[in-house]
């Protein structure tokens, strides 16, 4: 037979079972956390009409999109989860209750040049709250609280959510009579951490900003300290520009409520340099860094926008959202050796050593009824090979049923970590395993060093 | 602004939030059940090299595939989860432990002519066990046990898993000297239920089968009764053909172990007419029907195969697998009015009636810490509108915090089903809701009539 060498396309993540289990545990934690905050799951098609997906059009997106013809149809694969959300809300608005809180975790596609740690197919995990005409700023504070809860459940501890407000920035640039250039300025300033101050200075000058104003801008962006200190410093600028004042008020509220949502001050920080280089955002903006690895950039970003679906509907739909680039985050965690080693696909492996499997099957059924993940191993192998199989899987418990056990209606329970072995009745065995599994708890996928 | 009418492509399922919640609950039950039986999750790319995906080549698949060029690459979207599994196992065989038990739930793509209830993008939920060279028949019995457990957890009760064995059929046709035609005969016989006996008769004659043998075949296929009765009837044929005898032995074992796996006899049945019209299967075969809706055809099928990945590797990898066509099943359930009406995105909605949200936020945090899905509603609306919002969501509990509550450090808990309202301390409120939620349990998505 003419065989085809099996391969996976470059830029497409395909994990081995052990890593997949940790990735899936992260997905599970996200689904649980998002649900806990009252978000409803959405699932939209991966393929959409190109005309719909590219309604906004523009730049990089269009170059990177997977687009193809099928029959008469011009089709594209989604490149984010925001455009499909806009389409969905515009299309189904009559059937939705606003504020509409949805989460979506799914694969998106961008034909980027393959590079280490860059993927063409990758998961995004998004939450958004969409209002009808208006939306309370309380929602802006809840977003980072949800992300913080999810990261902590995953085992990630060294992260910081940086918060800023675009109104504050827009207002500030207005006072410097730089409104027309403000979008471009924010785009440049957003790179501050990446390219450094001198480079930002020269880019601003290139953009036609007076040297004096460049100094003003950098002085402003240099304001640092505790959240309270930064807010205090902002008060010095108050009164000159209405938009600025509104931005400060919103930032203050978000800061206050964030604390009440239970987010530790070690996990969030006002940062005036954050602008998110998208003209899309209009108020609160977020970025999240792993504090031990700032070089990775933001692992979770988002913000407030005025109008989600203006390309599809004349209804005004303001919203606030945040998104985790999950595939890239996972790649980084793996790369840094930050992943748990607990990856067994089951809690118990049952090894019948006799040909009659009845007792083995009954034991498996009893364990599963208690929610214990159990695998039966009925292959015709030697005992050593059977135990080696359990070892390779990393399974914490093995149940052995040989002739002696069968005769005495018992089973042997072996703890694969301690090596301890006891003979028990089936019922005792189930109780013992259940107790131990409850002690162990669910997998925490991330273990930072 | 030039607006684009938002639309979703025909043949692509996009659900409203209420239905999506039930669909997701079905996914959750499948993930839980598959894990309970020791299956590990896999996730393979949606896009593969066409050469790899079409290694086997052939017929319908190639016509329906979504295939396109990007740069120099000839790409295709996966049309099932079996070919990607074969690729994965062939590629990563050195890193896998055999038997390798994997589940995969994901979208697949087939450009069928759109028809009511037929989808171009649809979910498959597959489990497979792959052996290295050999694989015990115990695995064949476990498959339907898993499916049965999952369906019962979903709330589906009127289903029957029909089991047969291809060796038994192959052996039988050998005794009739019809080996060369056996694949074609099985293909025809597989349609018995759909097209009826006379039609099958004439198709067999067309195929060149002697009328006498047609009678023999139909007499054989007409054998019915309890599992024990059918197995007994098979004994009459024993001794003439080795393959046949082996098939009967396997079928007997599967039947015996199925019972020991706890599958109720009302949920499985030996059915000699089941052949699965794919030359792929070599032993046990399964089909599942909804007994109240046989017209829908099989909602879950699979079987034993000799060699998973022969197009990619010379290693012999026998396996057994079963697959649920989830999108179609969901469509049918919805169409028949079989879906639950319990679809609230959260358990509790918190309505602060004062501008200070501190107590509301603290209450939300306390509820969430107990795992209660809670939504905060901080929009500036009248009380009636706020309650109407909770009503529309179908949320079972509402917590109201007005001035009186604030002053007395209490909250008002309203049961939206009974209308009952009580004023409680925050702690009492959390305890009360927790108790009620535990009583309600998790959503059972299917409620047959």
């Amino acid at each position: 037979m003419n065989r085809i060498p099996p391969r996976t396309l470059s830029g497409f993540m395909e994990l081995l079972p052990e890593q997949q289990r940790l990735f899936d545990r992260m997905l599970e934690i996200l689904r649980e956390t998002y649900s806990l905050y009252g978000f409803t799951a959405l699932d939209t098609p991966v393929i959409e009409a190109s005309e719909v997906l590219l309604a906004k059009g523009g730049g990089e997106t269009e170059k990177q999109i997977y687009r193809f013809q099928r029959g008469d149809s011009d089709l594209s694969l989604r490149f984010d989860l925001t455009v499909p959300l806009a389409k969905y809300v515009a299309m189904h608005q009559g059937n939705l209750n606003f504020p509409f809180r949805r989460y979506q975790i799914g694969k998106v596609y961008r034909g980027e040049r393959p590079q280490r740690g860059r993927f063409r197919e990758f998961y995004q995990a998004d939450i958004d709250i969409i209002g009808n005409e208006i939306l309370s700023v309380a929602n802006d504070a809840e977003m980072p609280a949800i992300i913080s809860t999810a990261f902590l459940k995953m085992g990630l501890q060294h992260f910081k959510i940086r918060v800023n407000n675009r109104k504050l920035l827009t207002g500030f640039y207005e006072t410097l009579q730089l409104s027309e250039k403000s979008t471009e300025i924010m785009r440049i300033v957003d790179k501050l951490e990446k390219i450094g101050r001198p480079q930002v200075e020269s880019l601003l000058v290139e953009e036609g900003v007076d040297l004096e104003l460049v100094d003003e801008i950098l002085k402003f962006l240099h304001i640092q300290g505790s959240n309270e200190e930064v807010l205090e410093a902002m008060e010095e600028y108050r009164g000159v520009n209405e938009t600025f004042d509104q931005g400060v008020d919103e930032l203050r509220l978000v800061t206050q409520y964030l604390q009440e949502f239970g987010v530790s001050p070690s996990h969030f920080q006002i940062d005036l340099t954050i602008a998110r280089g998208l003209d899309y955002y209009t108020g609160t903006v977020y970025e999240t860094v792993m504090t031990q690895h700032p070089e990775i950039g933001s692992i979770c970003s988002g913000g407030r926008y005025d109008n989600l679906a203006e390309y599809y509907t004349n209804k005004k739909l303001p919203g606030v959202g945040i998104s985790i680039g999950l595939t890239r985050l996972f790649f980084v965690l793996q790369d840094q050796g930050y992943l748990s080693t607990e990856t067994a696909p089951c809690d118990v492996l049952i090894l019948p050593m006799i040909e009659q499997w009845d007792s083995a099957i009954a034991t498996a059924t009893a364990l599963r009824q208690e929610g214990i993940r159990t695998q039966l191993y009925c292959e015709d192998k030697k005992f050593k090979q059977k135990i080696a199989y359990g070892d390779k899987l990393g399974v914490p418990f093995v149940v052995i049923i040989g002739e002696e056990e069968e005769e005495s209606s018992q089973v042997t329970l072996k703890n694969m970590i301690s090596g301890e072995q006891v003979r028990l009745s089936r019922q005792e065995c189930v109780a013992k395993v259940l107790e131990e599994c409850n002690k162990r708890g669910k997998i925490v996928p991330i273990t930072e060093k």
Side-chain angles (χ1 to χ4, degrees), chain A residues 46-51 53-54 65-78 109:
Chain A
V46 169
I47 308 177
E48 302 267 11
S50 299
E51 173 198 42
L53 218 49
L54 294 168
I65 203 166
Y66 281 87
R67 184 175 182 170
F68 57 94
Q69 199 75 21
R70 190 178 164 87
D72 295 337
S73 307
D74 179 0
L75 305 176
S76 289
L77 306 189
R78 63 183 180 205
Y109 297 83

Side-chain angles (χ1 to χ4, degrees), chain A residues 159-174:
Chain A
F159 66 89
K160 194 157 281 207
I161 303 172
R162 296 174 176 166
V163 183
N164 197 10
N165 192 298
R166 283 283 282 257
K167 284 186 192 140
L168 186 155
L169 297 181
T170 308
F172 173 72
Y173 293 120
E174 265 171 35

